[in-house]
């Protein structure tokens, strides 16, 4: 029987090949059990970046509610529009060098998000004051002076929310603010929600806002109409002075209806990921731009109006309304363990890099011990009692702490040891995570640590990087430590995160699952982005004031997580692409530079030994099309790019080549890099290229360009001796059907082949006995996969649940307008169907769950 299947499979194979498909063979060894897969493999990472909390997950609708946002972050001075730290402070990584970093101060107003509006002859003057502060932690308030008022006109203070306020008809919004008055103010004040066109959506009239001491005023605003981008208005109804502070507006419905709670739609999307843990609060956020401005968890608990806020390195203030307590509550609400990251006395090395000397670390050590006590200490303990006072006597599910973010090297390892010992002594059950910089876990750092339980690798990768590096985790030398991939994402060459990103992310997650003996935890980054203030190119969940949606990667990761096996089964996969699909690099040719001035001449294309194109720049000055840059014909018969800047390009229009040899001469005359030779040019925004002298004239690599300026590596960077100025080099590209070879002065310097784009793993759910097969087909063509088992698995299978996610084009994306354009679909099929090769759709992720009879 098996032979018959093999014959059927073979004839399907040849038919499929004839149709130009991909043919794969997957052998699943169900007898040899592989590694156990950790239940904590899939978690999430929250950081205050791109308004993830403020104007995002945290449901507060008023921006700059406490008028504290024009404060200059601690440890910096404002000089000529830039924040500068104390320049005598040494940099942690570069010592003895001092810090020389500075950052443009983004805030242009003393009261960001607030403005006044008047009509008629009314006058409103605003001033930020510290007079009679509401409390010492948040000293600023706004003094509204109305020197001139007539009831015929308006005197108003407006808050724009976070790029608008979503108001829904018939819903209630809780408003509170503090005020005191002077100069004869008569006490009347109306508060409104107003549509973009100025229509009243909700209103409440206070008649008694009056008195010399701060008083809290509250009301409910019930909407009578909707608007996605409404604003909040305070309308003053007399002349005089009113001091205002801490104006807060919340929808009555928050996630799990918690007061001071979270925005439901975003929290539900996160809950849909069923994370096993939540890493918080950063990221760079935890490091701060300076050591003085880094977050302190003790400032983020207790009454919200007393929280001073934290300046996020991403250029805005967090009010810390979603503070340490709310974070722990969120973990509990999602049945997730808490993974709290704390500052190790070092600020971000890519910002000021300022730090606290090792001898002065004691307050930092005490702070983390107190944080742990707050989360899990008994109510009889100092900080456990504060937790109880804040409404949560039971311990929170804190399981992990991480010692710093992205610090690395022996100097960090030394202070890691100090923290590790102190924490382990007091809380031996808390698991500790060591940071490892941006990138792979490095021995340098690891070897300087006395004990490593979990090492945190961060992995931001180009599109298809994982296709070239599916063995990334396999190659790690195992030790007695586990790996946590604390931040990962395919985030270059994928627009804002398209199907191609989802396919790469899926393979990345599957390769972690396959290496379950090493990789025990992971979290995608960044999780959230408000589309009105984007700090990072690719993020998982998008929103504005009104709507939200998740990218395709979100659905890919979730379907893999929901079908996580608990034991791996070894697989072997082979893929073959049909012959006629093998001219993979058909397209035009071009010339380019990147921050470099270069001359090119004697460009020749030969096919089958015949010259099919020959440049003659001495006589023909029109054939090449300059796209970007300053291209000039020189007297010596070269085409020279003389301008400054990135992605300079000229192309040879109207000519397409496949399987050819391109030769040319090139010489650099100035700048940073050297030669760029585009090929497979589809249009002037989309092409592949050989970059000779990349990374400041020290490497070579093949790259892909999309959208004109998005560059992603498609091969690994190889070291290359720097190219000299003013010397002509011979460059040759041999563009074959499935391989491109690049020569410099007749020496092969790099070659590129498209990687296999079919990937599979298999595993078993030992509780249900289900067998789970996960397949990614990243080809733009159908893949027929013949799945074979070492024993009669199909005979023991009832039916098969198939979950699949696919798109038509690599560039397809979910969007605000089409939030669910690409989501997984599930169907049930008969086990018999797997006796035939399984058809994976082009650009697809498929999970076959073989239900045990
Ligand atoms: O996720 C965005 C940033 O990437 C994080 O803040 C940092 O840890 C990493 O470099």
């Amino acid at each position: 029987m098996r032979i018959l299947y093999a014959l059927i499979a073979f004839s399907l194979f040849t038919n499929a090949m004839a149709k130009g498909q991909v043919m794969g063979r997957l052998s699943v060894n169900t007898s040899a059990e592989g590694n156990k897969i950790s239940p904590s493999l899939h978690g999430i990472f929250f950081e205050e970046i791109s308004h993830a909390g403020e104007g995002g997950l945290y449901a507060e609708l008023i921006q700059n509610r406490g008028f504290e946002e024009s404060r200059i972050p601690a440890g910096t001075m404002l000089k000529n529009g830039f924040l500068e730290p104390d320049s005598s402070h040494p940099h942690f990584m570069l010592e003895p060098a001092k810090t020389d970093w500075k950052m443009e101060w983004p805030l242009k107003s003393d009261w960001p998000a607030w403005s006044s509006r008047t009509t008629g002859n009314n006058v409103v003057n605003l001033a930020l004051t510290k007079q009679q502060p509401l409390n010492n932690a948040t000293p600023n308030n706004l003094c509204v002076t109305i020197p001139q008022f007539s009831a015929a006109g308006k005197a108003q203070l407006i808050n724009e929310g976070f790029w608008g306020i979503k108001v829904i008809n018939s819903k209630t919004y809780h408003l509170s603010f503090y005020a005191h008055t002077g100069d004869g103010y008569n006490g009347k004040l109306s508060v409104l929600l107003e549509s973009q066109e100025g229509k009243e959506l909700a209103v409440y009239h206070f008649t008694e806002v009056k008195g010399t001491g701060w008083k809290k005023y509250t009301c409910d605003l019930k909407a009578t109409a909707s608007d996605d981008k409404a604003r909040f208005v305070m309308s003053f109804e007399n002349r005089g002075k009113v001091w205002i502070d801490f104006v807060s507006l919340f929808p009555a419905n928050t996630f799990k209806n918690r007061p001071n709670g979270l925005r439901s739609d975003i929290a539900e999307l996160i809950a849909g990921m069923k994370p096993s843990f939540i890493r918080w609060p950063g990221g760079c956020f935890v490091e701060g731009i300076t050591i003085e401005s880094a977050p302190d968890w003790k400032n983020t608990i207790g009454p919200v109006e007393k929280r001073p806020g934290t300046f996020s390195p991403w250029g805005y203030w967090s009010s810390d309304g979603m503070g340490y307590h709310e974070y722990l509550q969120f973990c509990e609400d999602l049945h997730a363990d808490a993974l709290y990251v704390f500052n190790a006395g070092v600020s971000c090395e890519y910002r000021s890099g300022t730090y606290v000397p090792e001898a002065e670390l004691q307050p930092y050590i005490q702070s983390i011990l107190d944080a742990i006590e707050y989360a899990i200490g008994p109510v009889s303990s100092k900080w456990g009692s504060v937790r109880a006072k804040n409404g949560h006597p039971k311990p929170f599910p804190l399981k992990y702490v991480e010692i710093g973010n992205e610090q690395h090297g022996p100097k960090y390892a030394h202070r890691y040891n100090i923290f590790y010992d102190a924490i382990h002594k007091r809380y031996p059950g808390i698991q500790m995570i060591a940071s490892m910089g941006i990138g792979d876990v490095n021995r340098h750092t690891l070897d300087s640590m006395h004990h490593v339980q979990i090492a945190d690798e961060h992995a931001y990768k180009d599109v298809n990087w994982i296709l070239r590096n599916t063995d990334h985790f396999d190659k790690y030398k195992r030790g007695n430590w586990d790996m946590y991939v604390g931040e990962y994402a395919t985030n270059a060459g994928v627009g804002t995160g398209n199907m191609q990103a989802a396919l790469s992310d899926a393979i990345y997650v599957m390769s972690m699952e396959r290496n379950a003996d090493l990789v025990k935890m992971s979290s995608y980054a960044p999780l959230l982005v408000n589309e009105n203030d984007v700090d990072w190119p690719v993020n998982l969940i998008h929103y504005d004031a009104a709507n939200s949606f998740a990218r395709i990667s979100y659905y890919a990761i979730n379907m893999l997580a929901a079908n996580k096996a608990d034991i791996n089964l070894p697989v072997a996969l082979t893929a073959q692409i049909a012959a006629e699909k093998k001219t993979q690099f058909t397209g035009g040719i071009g010339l380019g530079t990147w921050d470099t001035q270069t001359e090119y001449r004697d460009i020749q294309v030969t096919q089958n030994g015949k010259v099919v194109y020959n440049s003659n720049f001495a006589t023909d000055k029109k054939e090449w099309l300059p796209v970007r840059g300053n291209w000039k014909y020189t007297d010596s018969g070269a085409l020279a790019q003389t301008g400054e800047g990135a992605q300079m390009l000229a192309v040879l229009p109207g000519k397409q080549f496949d399987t050819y040899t391109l030769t040319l001469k090139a010489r650099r005359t100035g700048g940073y890099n050297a030669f760029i030779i585009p090929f497979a040019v589809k249009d002037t925004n989309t092409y592949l290229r050989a970059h000779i002298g990349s990374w400041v004239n020290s490497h070579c690599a093949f790259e892909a360009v999309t959208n004109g300026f998005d560059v992603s590596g498609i091969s690994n960077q190889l070291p290359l001796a720097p190219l000299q100025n003013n010397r002509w080099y011979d460059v040759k590209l041999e563009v074959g059907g499935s391989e491109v070879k690049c020569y410099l002065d007749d020496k092969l310097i790099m070659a590129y082949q498209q990687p296999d784009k079919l990937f599979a793993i298999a595993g078993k759910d030992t509780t249900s006995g289900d067998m789970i097969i996960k397949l990614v087909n990243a080809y733009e063509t159908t893949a027929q996969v013949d799945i074979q088992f070492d024993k009669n698995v199909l005979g023991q299978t009832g039916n098969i649940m198939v979950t699949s996610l696919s798109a038509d084009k690599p560039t397809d994306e979910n969007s605000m307008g089409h939030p669910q354009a690409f989501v997984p679909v599930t169907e049930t099929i008969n086990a018999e169907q797997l006796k035939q090769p399984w058809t994976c759709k082009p650009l697809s992720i498929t999970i076959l769950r073989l239900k045990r009879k």
Side-chain angles (χ1 to χ4, degrees):
M1 197 60 176
R2 186 76 226 163
I3 294 169
L4 182 60
Y5 290 151
L7 285 175
I8 293 169
F10 183 72
S11 66
L12 281 165
F13 183 87
T14 42
N15 282 342
M17 292 291 278
K19 283 189 218 135
Q21 293 171 339
V22 173
M23 193 66 204
R25 284 206 174 90
L26 176 69
S27 312
V28 184
N29 183 346
T30 62
S31 311
E33 286 186 351
N35 313 305
K36 284 204 168 67
I37 300 157
S38 157
S40 56
L41 186 61
H42 298 281
I44 58 165
F45 163 47
F46 174 94
E47 176 178 18
E48 186 57 81
I49 177 173
S50 304
H51 288 268
E54 204 73 9
L57 179 60
Y58 182 50
E60 174 62 77
L61 296 169
I62 301 291
Q63 190 175 352
N64 189 18
R65 63 185 177 184
F67 302 101
E68 300 296 329
E69 290 192 3
S70 50
R71 273 173 311 155
I72 301 303
T76 67
M77 285 160 293
L78 187 58
K79 283 193 197 157
N80 304 322
F82 283 83
L83 291 181
E84 287 186 24
D86 174 359
S87 58
S88 68
H89 204 305
H91 186 283
F92 184 70
M93 294 304 285
L94 308 175
E95 197 164 10
K98 312 278 185 215
T99 180
D100 65 352
W101 170 89
K102 58 183 179 176
M103 159 185 184
E104 197 174 348
W105 177 234
L107 299 176
K108 305 290 174 225
S109 158
D110 278 352
W111 40 85
W114 293 93
S115 57
S116 64
R117 184 173 68 184
T118 54
T119 59
N121 292 326
N122 290 350
V123 176
V124 169
N125 296 323
L126 303 181
L128 193 70
T129 85
K130 286 191 171 56
Q131 293 160 13
Q132 218 179 305
L134 185 59
N135 60 67
N136 291 336
T138 60
N140 291 299
N141 54 64
L142 191 73
C143 177
V144 183
T145 307
I146 308 123
Q148 207 166 293
F149 181 82
S150 131
K154 286 179 178 158
Q156 296 178 321
L157 177 66
I158 294 172
N159 187 279
E160 66 194 41
F162 293 94
W163 302 277
I165 295 173
K166 179 173 185 167
V167 174
I168 306 173
N169 188 10
S170 83
K171 296 283 181 201
T172 299
Y173 299 83
H174 300 315
L175 175 76
S176 64
F177 64 93
Y178 289 80
H180 67 91
T181 60
D183 204 14
Y185 192 78
N186 71 355
K188 288 190 184 164
L189 193 160
S190 298
V191 287
L192 295 90
L193 292 172
E194 184 186 273
S195 75
Q196 293 167 80
E197 293 76 34
K199 198 176 138 211
E200 188 178 292
L201 304 170
V203 65
Y204 185 88
H205 304 285
F206 289 94
T207 50
E208 273 294 320
V209 178
K210 206 170 177 185
T212 48
W214 286 109
K215 198 173 146 201
K216 186 173 184 179
Y217 297 87
T218 59
C219 71
D220 277 354
L221 288 166
K222 184 148 188 204
T224 52
S226 302
D227 193 290
D228 276 357
K229 270 191 170 182
R231 51 189 165 253
F232 169 74
V233 181
M234 284 183 142
S235 209
F236 301 92
E237 297 179 16
N238 191 22
R239 56 158 300 285
K241 269 184 197 292
V242 185
W243 284 263
I244 305 279
D245 207 350
F246 208 79
V247 187
S248 174
L249 180 73
F250 268 80
N253 303 112
T254 55
F255 182 61
K256 297 204 181 277
N257 286 329
R258 295 201 178 281
N260 189 41
L262 307 180
R263 187 173 139 177
S264 293
D265 59 335
I266 300 175
E268 290 294 356
L269 278 167
I270 295 173
M273 299 182 79
K274 300 197 174 60
S276 65
F277 63 87
I278 304 179
R279 178 177 187 245
W280 182 94
C284 296
F285 182 84
V286 119
E287 302 172 81
I289 57 169
T290 55
I291 193 58
E292 296 86 348
S293 64
D296 176 351
W297 70 272
K298 288 179 189 166
N299 287 335
T300 75
I301 56 170
V304 277
E305 64 275 17
K306 288 193 176 160
R307 301 183 189 178
T310 304
F311 185 72
S312 167
W314 303 104
Y316 61 93
W317 280 92
S318 160
S319 68
D320 290 338
M322 184 184 166
Y324 187 51
H325 187 97
E326 290 80 12
Y327 151 65
L328 293 168
Q329 183 62 65
F330 190 43
C331 292
E332 186 178 89
D333 286 345
L334 297 197
H335 310 292
D337 292 321
L339 187 173
Y340 173 59
V341 190
F342 66 90
N343 186 298
V346 186
S347 70
C348 180
E349 72 172 277
Y350 303 104
R351 275 93 176 183
S352 76
T354 53
Y355 69 97
V356 170
E358 233 170 67
E360 293 166 29
L361 278 183
Q362 189 48 39
Y364 285 77
I365 296 170
Q366 193 55 50
S367 173
I368 179 59
L369 294 176
D370 292 346
I372 299 172
E373 186 174 280
Y374 184 92
I376 61 171
V379 286
S380 54
S381 65
K382 179 178 169 195
W383 288 101
S385 75
V386 180
R387 181 188 70 237
K389 202 175 110 224
N390 288 341
H392 201 285
K394 269 190 1 209
F396 281 119
L398 179 72
K399 185 167 174 188
Y400 314 91
V401 295
E402 181 163 357
I403 302 170
N405 173 66
E406 288 188 352
Q407 270 82 49
H408 56 102
K411 198 169 161 190
Y412 158 68
H414 198 257
R415 63 177 57 202
Y416 163 92
N417 292 334
I418 298 172
F419 281 107
Y420 183 98
D421 291 344
I423 297 168
H424 188 69
K425 191 164 160 217
R426 177 95 177 269
Y427 295 103
I430 288 285
Q431 294 192 37
M432 274 174 273
I433 301 174
S435 80
M436 288 285 146
I438 301 188
D440 302 356
V441 168
N442 58 73
R443 290 244 66 100
H444 199 44
T445 308
L446 215 53
D447 290 346
S448 312
M449 293 173 163
H450 298 159
H451 308 274
V452 180
Q453 295 177 317
I454 305 169
D456 178 2
E457 166 159 324
H458 289 182
Y460 295 103
K461 304 294 185 193
D462 284 353
V463 63
N464 291 345
W465 176 91
I466 187 63
L467 294 179
R468 303 191 306 275
N469 295 280
T470 48
D471 59 351
H472 172 72
F473 297 112
D474 306 68
K475 285 195 307 210
Y476 264 107
K477 187 167 162 239
R478 271 42 177 177
N480 53 357
W481 52 274
D482 294 331
M483 187 188 283
Y484 165 38
V485 185
E487 300 180 23
Y488 73 87
T490 305
N491 73 352
V494 292
T496 58
N498 52 29
M499 184 63 189
Q500 219 171 355
L503 294 164
S504 287
D505 289 335
I507 297 175
Y508 194 77
V509 168
M510 287 158 66
S511 60
M512 288 195 267
E513 194 169 327
R514 190 179 65 188
N515 285 274
D517 61 317
L518 176 73
V519 186
K520 299 286 161 67
M521 302 164 71
S522 69
S523 41
Y524 186 96
L527 180 68
L528 300 174
V529 61
N530 186 318
E531 290 198 340
N532 291 290
D533 191 16
V534 181
D535 296 318
W536 196 260
V538 175
N539 308 275
L540 204 58
I541 296 172
H542 289 225
Y543 48 85
D544 56 19
N547 301 303
S548 52
F549 76 94
R551 284 185 29 234
I552 311 181
S553 286
Y554 167 94
Y555 294 101
I557 294 165
N558 286 1
M559 68 191 257
L560 294 169
N563 289 288
K564 190 169 63 59
D566 48 31
I567 277 191
N568 277 309
L569 297 174
V571 298
L573 177 69
T574 52
Q576 248 184 295
I577 189 161
E580 66 264 40
K581 278 276 163 195
K582 282 194 168 170
T583 47
Q584 293 164 10
F585 306 112
T586 306
I589 58 169
L591 301 169
T593 63
W594 189 341
D595 289 333
T596 305
Q597 294 74 47
T598 302
E599 295 178 8
Y600 296 101
R601 67 172 163 85
D602 302 344
I603 301 158
Q604 194 174 74
V605 177
T606 47
Q607 268 174 326
N608 303 322
K610 239 176 77 190
V611 175
V612 293
Y613 171 74
N614 219 341
S615 69
N616 189 347
F617 293 142
T619 54
D620 192 339
K621 302 196 190 294
K622 291 233 168 74
E623 206 172 17
W624 282 72
L625 174 73
V627 179
R628 276 182 296 275
N630 197 5
W631 294 91
K632 287 185 181 141
Y633 293 92
T634 67
D635 295 341
S636 59
L639 182 54
Q641 200 297 111
T642 58
E644 308 278 343
Q647 314 316 351
M648 304 312 200
L649 176 70
V651 294
L652 178 62
K655 291 208 186 328
Q656 297 272 310
F657 307 102
D658 59 33
T659 320
Y660 59 97
T661 300
L662 168 68
T663 53
L664 56 85
K665 289 191 185 307
R667 78 171 168 188
R668 92 198 269 278
T669 52
Y672 295 101
N673 301 311
F675 315 139
I676 290 182
I677 316 298
F679 61 96
V681 176
K682 290 204 166 74
D683 56 55
T684 54
N685 287 323
T686 321
Y687 52 92
L688 305 179
R689 66 193 198 183
H691 194 167
I692 304 163
S694 54
W695 279 108
V696 196
N697 197 13
S698 63
H699 284 74
C700 59
F702 286 98
E703 297 169 336
V705 177
T706 46
N707 300 322
F709 290 89
D710 291 346
V711 181
S712 57
I714 53 170
S715 71
N716 297 335
Q717 294 273 352
L718 298 176
L720 186 73
L723 287 104
Q724 295 163 25
N725 266 5
N726 302 316
R727 187 198 134 180
W728 285 104
Y729 288 87
D730 288 320
V731 176
K732 179 163 76 176
L733 280 194
E734 278 176 9
V735 183
S738 58
E739 189 178 32
V740 185
K741 289 182 175 159
C742 177
Y743 299 81
L744 187 67
D745 284 344
D746 287 328
K747 190 173 157 236
L748 181 66
I749 54 167
M750 57 179 172
Y752 171 69
Q753 277 188 335
Q754 278 201 26
D756 273 355
K757 295 187 175 181
L758 204 54
F759 190 73
I761 58 170
K764 198 168 160 183
D765 178 340
T766 48
T767 315
S768 61
D770 293 354
M771 185 119 15
I772 301 161
I773 297 171
K774 297 176 177 172
L775 285 155
V776 173
N777 175 21
Y779 288 105
E780 290 182 53
T781 182
T782 303
Q784 302 284 344
V785 183
D786 176 24
I787 303 174
Q788 301 181 2
F789 302 94
D790 59 324
K791 54 188 185 210
N792 183 15
V793 168
L794 295 182
Q796 295 162 14
T797 302
N799 52 33
I800 300 176
M801 202 176 88
V802 182
T803 308
S804 62
L805 172 61
S806 63
D808 301 330
K809 299 192 297 298
T811 50
D812 281 337
E813 292 186 35
N814 288 335
S815 62
M816 218 58 109
H818 301 280
Q820 301 239 318
F822 304 97
V823 295
V825 288
T826 301
E827 59 175 328
T828 302
I829 61 162
N830 193 293
E832 292 289 302
Q833 282 180 249
L834 220 56
K835 290 180 176 167
Q836 307 294 321
W838 180 259
T839 304
C840 293
K841 285 189 186 160
L843 304 170
S844 66
I845 304 162
T846 308
I847 299 177
L848 303 170
R849 193 171 187 115
L850 281 64
K851 298 282 210 184
R852 203 183 157 85
K853 250 188 199 158

